[in-house]
Amino acid sequence: MDIKINGSRLKNMFSYDWVKILISIIAGIVVWSLLFTTLGTRITVGEEFYFTTYEKVQSVSHSNNGNLLKKLKDEGILSYDVLEWHSTTITSAGQYSASYMLNLRTTTNEGDVIIMSDGRGEYVKEGEENTTAKSMETAINSRYFYNIEEFLNDAKSYCIDNGFITVNGEDYSNYTVNNATIERYFLTERINSAGNYRKTYRTEAKKQEGVKNEIIRIENVYKNWLSVTNAIKTAKDEGNDIIWYGEIKKYDSEGKEIEGQGEIKPFGIDLYKLNKNYKDRKKIEDSWFTYTNNPEGEGERTTAEGLVLCVFNFESAQRDMQYESLAFMNYIIKTYSGY
């Protein structure tokens, strides 16, 4: 049989079979892409850190939030296991409200900390609705955010109840880090919890390096818990409650609000109250602010009043890494106040 390839045969093949060849190439690319997407090792939810500003909250510069996250990572404030960090802004988009866009983000767990405005600093004409306050109310009642008291209690429980930290006596500042317990936890649970951990910690040397980093991470969770808890207490003792409280409303079977049945719960750090007594510290307004009309007719001005730092509650998706938000919160408290 004459199977020699010549110019005529090549011409005939490309003339009559080029469609089949093109389809085969495209099919091969699609199959390869699907295999890569399905079998490829991806980072976990906890290994991505998201800092978000919401709706009317402005940053002093386009790079401000991204630079802050890089600083926190470079200085070891965010732990070794934060592999990517993102600064994002959620606003309305076309026909979709900011509340709707926020809901979309939560479906994919894209959030760790967020700065919102409760509208307190805005000038609203008599008879008009404070839309910023309403938007904050909607977000709180959608249960996206951690109750701050529960968040702090869960962080303490994570460290103590798991045996990572032993408190010596009644003074929480006197404690022991149980390295052996953390090592056992890391080697038996943490590195088996996701595909990328198993890939990263293949060798014994890498595992031991991971153990050292994990000990530092967990001790920092405890230190951050202790620092934030003490700061909140100190502020309260001085007559300045820096916690922000929101109302969780109750509704009847038809979805109508039951008046007077709501519960006031702590949902964030009031950045304005945190910063207002510390003239020697960096001003919140030099980092984040909202615009408001001046009632005296002097036009628009900026204000930090009403800004609140909240924490997304994605604990079920990032059991160990949920408390990176606590590191961020502690940094903000120490930077913008003396508590």
Side-chain angles (χ1 to χ4, degrees):
M1 180 182 292
D2 181 9
I3 58 172
K4 184 178 179 181
I5 297 175
N6 53 40
S8 177
R9 286 175 173 169
L10 281 174
K11 184 177 180 181
N12 288 336
M13 182 183 70
F14 283 113
S15 295
Y16 298 106
D17 293 340
W18 69 270
V19 174
K20 294 180 182 178
I21 294 170
L22 181 60
I23 291 174
S24 298
I25 292 172
I26 293 173
I29 293 172
V30 170
V31 170
W32 177 257
S33 178
L34 286 173
L35 284 172
F36 182 81
T37 301
T38 304
L39 302 177
T41 303
R42 296 189 293 270
I43 64 175
T44 65
V45 170
E47 290 174 313
E48 293 184 281
F49 191 90
Y50 287 88
F51 171 30
T52 300
T53 50
Y54 185 69
E55 203 166 18
K56 293 185 179 180
V57 177
Q58 304 289 320
S59 298
V60 70
S61 70
H62 179 72
S63 59
N64 179 69
N65 296 354
N67 288 341
L68 172 58
L69 292 179
K70 185 178 185 306
K71 171 184 171 67
L72 298 185
K73 179 60 181 177
D74 290 346
E75 295 182 2
I77 295 169
L78 293 176
S79 78
Y80 77 101
D81 213 12
V82 173
L83 304 183
E84 294 183 6
W85 50 95
H86 313 272
S87 61
T88 63
T89 300
I90 297 178
T91 61
S92 57
Q95 62 181 330
Y96 300 109
S97 67
S99 296
Y100 177 80
M101 300 305 293
L102 176 60
N103 179 64
L104 286 182
R105 294 288 185 89
T106 62
T107 59
T108 53
N109 300 324
E110 291 183 28
D112 287 278
V113 292
I114 185 170
I115 294 180
M116 311 182 77
S117 173
D118 66 5
R120 199 180 339 140
E122 292 188 18
Y123 170 66
V124 180
K125 293 180 180 179
E126 187 176 351
E128 290 185 354
E129 183 181 47
N130 189 323
T131 56
T132 303
K134 188 66 176 178
S135 183
M136 180 75 155
E137 178 185 295
T138 299
I140 293 299
N141 279 274
S142 296
R143 311 299 176 96
Y144 302 138
F145 308 127
Y146 237 124
N147 175 315
I148 289 298
E149 289 180 356
E150 293 178 0
F151 177 56
L152 293 173
N153 285 334
D154 286 351
K156 179 178 72 171
S157 176
Y158 174 76
C159 294
I160 296 175
D161 293 355
N162 283 315
F164 304 144
I165 301 290
T166 297
V167 177
N168 304 316
E170 296 182 0
D171 184 2
Y172 283 104
S173 63
N174 185 1
Y175 64 91
T176 302
V177 180
N178 300 317
N179 293 353
T181 303
I182 296 174
E183 178 176 9
R184 184 165 56 252
Y185 177 74
F186 180 79
L187 295 176
T188 60
E189 294 191 42
R190 278 277 273 152
I191 64 174
N192 294 316
S193 62
N196 66 326
Y197 291 133
R198 292 191 292 271
K199 183 177 180 181
T200 301
Y201 301 108
R202 282 179 177 174
T203 67
E204 189 60 32
K206 282 293 185 180
K207 289 177 181 178
Q208 290 308 309
E209 179 185 346
V211 168
K212 291 178 182 178
N213 288 332
E214 187 75 345
I215 290 170
I216 294 170
R217 183 190 71 81
I218 290 177
E219 184 176 10
N220 282 340
V221 171
Y222 187 79
K223 285 180 176 179
N224 288 325
W225 167 78
L226 192 63
S227 181
V228 170
T229 301
N230 287 339
I232 292 170
K233 182 181 183 303
T234 299
K236 279 188 177 181
D237 289 345
E238 294 179 0
N240 183 29
D241 190 352
I242 60 175
I243 296 294
W244 183 88
Y245 300 87
E247 183 181 9
I248 296 296
K249 298 183 179 297
K250 289 189 176 181
Y251 301 89
D252 61 22
S253 58
E254 296 179 353
K256 295 181 180 179
E257 181 185 343
I258 305 174
E259 296 291 341
Q261 295 296 308
E263 294 182 277
I264 304 299
K265 299 289 185 180
F267 278 105
I269 299 295
D270 189 317
L271 297 180
Y272 178 73
K273 287 185 177 180
L274 172 74
N275 185 232
K276 68 176 183 178
N277 294 331
Y278 288 93
K279 306 300 181 184
D280 59 330
R281 295 301 176 101
K282 186 177 180 181
K283 294 170 60 180
I284 286 289
E285 198 171 321
D286 290 339
S287 298
W288 306 284
F289 57 87
T290 60
Y291 288 109
T292 181
N293 290 322
N294 194 315
E296 282 76 33
E298 297 175 5
E300 214 169 42
R301 62 182 175 86
T302 61
T303 181
E305 189 173 1
L307 297 192
V308 180
L309 175 66
C310 297
V311 174
F312 285 94
N313 186 356
F314 295 138
E315 195 269 345
S316 61
Q318 51 179 12
R319 177 173 179 268
D320 296 283
M321 297 296 286
Q322 174 68 56
Y323 305 110
E324 294 299 312
S325 299
L326 192 55
F328 185 97
M329 182 181 292
N330 188 44
Y331 174 84
I332 294 295
I333 291 173
K334 295 307 178 188
T335 301
Y336 293 95
S337 79
Y339 297 123

